[in-house]
Amino acid sequence: MSKAKPFLKWAGGKSRIAHQIVSFFPSEFDRYFEPFLGSGAVYFTVSPQEGILNDLNKYLIGTYEIIRDHPSALIEELQKIDKVYHSLPDLDKKSDFYYKAREQYNNINHISLNKAALFIFLNKAGFNGMYRENSKGEYNIPFGKHEKCLIADAENILKVSVDLKDITFTTGDYKDSLKTARKGDLVYLDPPYVPVSKTANFTQYQKEGFNYDEHIKLRDLALLLHDRGCYVVISNSSCEESRKLYEDKVFNIHTIEITRLIHRSKKIVPEIVVTNFSVEGH
């Protein structure tokens, strides 16, 4: 039986390299913590049965909770949206439907079944599966011009629900989600990356940003987690600024290579995986 996979596309998502990252994990650990959850590609690769998953985006976390607790009802809502969207005769009509759904989404200010269904639809039908908010905190990604898209993946949503059954979700500051991490727990940190150039700053997808000072705070928190006896694994860009953060003898810096589409051509780009423990085979 195939495993659950991410039900969303997400900027900085790790679907293509999740297995590479998991190869740096300890063979055994207690609870699993991931405070920058996003699409959850790494979590679904490991799918441990107990842990705490967090994201700053409360509606993303609310969608996870709806899938965990009410998968069948969510599937029914998504199937209704799917039926209408794919019955529309052309992209102009689909575009109108998308923007009305986006307006409806932005007008719902609480976690609900409808909000979660719209969240998934907008992710599937929006441009490049991106999530971005304006200064008012409103989702503002344009229509992706898809004739067809997989809106209601019922089989995967049911698998995701099973994988999440013993997971605790939190939303807000990543530091708060790690307060209970203790010896033997594994913490995977995947923050918005340090930009490799002045024109490559993809670190802000919500109105709250993540600057270099935040990366210093994250590094200092990783040292505290090390002192508690936690296993810590961190992903980041491979540039001088990010490497300098982890020159402390506590950390081991590993380099991996990933393939990215840049200006319509594929390029091999290095990233770093930082651990506070030695990794066999690396």
Side-chain angles (χ1 to χ4, degrees), residues 123-224:
N123 179 266
K124 301 292 187 181
F127 178 75
N128 213 24
M130 295 177 66
Y131 186 95
R132 184 184 64 205
E133 295 178 356
N134 62 21
S135 60
K136 297 178 181 179
E138 297 171 334
Y139 175 82
N140 66 351
I141 293 296
F143 180 51
K145 299 181 181 179
H146 302 291
E147 285 285 358
K148 293 183 179 180
C149 52
L150 183 56
I151 297 166
D153 189 352
E155 182 180 354
N156 187 57
I157 286 173
L158 292 172
K159 290 177 183 177
V160 168
S161 181
V162 171
D163 270 14
L164 299 178
K165 66 181 186 301
D166 293 321
I167 285 294
T168 298
F169 286 103
T170 60
T171 183
D173 192 297
Y174 70 94
K175 295 181 284 293
D176 293 337
S177 72
L178 297 172
K179 286 180 177 178
T180 63
R182 57 178 183 254
K183 183 177 180 179
D185 291 340
L186 170 61
V187 177
Y188 172 56
L189 296 162
D190 181 28
Y193 281 9
V194 175
V196 296
S197 69
K198 290 182 180 179
T199 59
N201 189 353
F202 298 110
T203 61
Q204 185 166 327
Y205 74 92
Q206 293 187 217
K207 58 182 178 178
E208 302 86 356
F210 201 94
N211 58 28
Y212 196 73
D213 287 342
E214 286 296 326
H215 281 281
I216 293 171
K217 292 176 185 178
L218 185 145
R219 186 274 319 281
D220 292 344
L221 178 58
L223 289 169
L224 289 174

Side-chain angles (χ1 to χ4, degrees), residues 16-17 20 193 256-260 267-271:
R16 287 181 293 173
I17 59 170
Q20 274 185 274
Y193 281 9
I256 62 173
E257 293 185 337
I258 68 169
T259 303
R260 278 198 177 150
K267 293 188 178 180
I268 303 297
V269 179
E271 291 190 2

Side-chain angles (χ1 to χ4, degrees), residues 27 37 94 108 119 153 190 223:
S27 57
L37 182 58
K94 286 178 165 66
I108 302 173
F119 190 105
D153 189 352
D190 181 28
L223 289 169

Side-chain angles (χ1 to χ4, degrees), residues 206-268:
Q206 293 187 217
K207 58 182 178 178
E208 302 86 356
F210 201 94
N211 58 28
Y212 196 73
D213 287 342
E214 286 296 326
H215 281 281
I216 293 171
K217 292 176 185 178
L218 185 145
R219 186 274 319 281
D220 292 344
L221 178 58
L223 289 169
L224 289 174
L225 292 167
H226 175 79
D227 290 341
R228 284 192 220 164
C230 298
Y231 299 106
V232 181
V233 180
I234 307 166
S235 291
N236 215 317
S237 58
S238 179
C239 62
E240 183 180 357
E241 289 82 0
S242 58
R243 287 178 176 272
K244 277 185 177 179
L245 287 167
Y246 299 104
E247 289 177 346
D248 189 288
K249 63 182 180 181
V250 160
F251 299 111
N252 301 290
I253 301 175
H254 315 272
T255 302
I256 62 173
E257 293 185 337
I258 68 169
T259 303
R260 278 198 177 150
L261 188 63
I262 300 175
H263 302 305
R264 297 186 179 180
S265 62
K266 290 183 178 180
K267 293 188 178 180
I268 303 297

Side-chain angles (χ1 to χ4, degrees), residues 56-71:
L56 184 63
N57 188 322
K58 65 181 180 181
Y59 297 121
L60 170 65
I61 291 299
T63 301
Y64 274 99
E65 291 177 321
I66 292 289
I67 289 178
R68 181 193 62 192
D69 301 334
H70 308 288

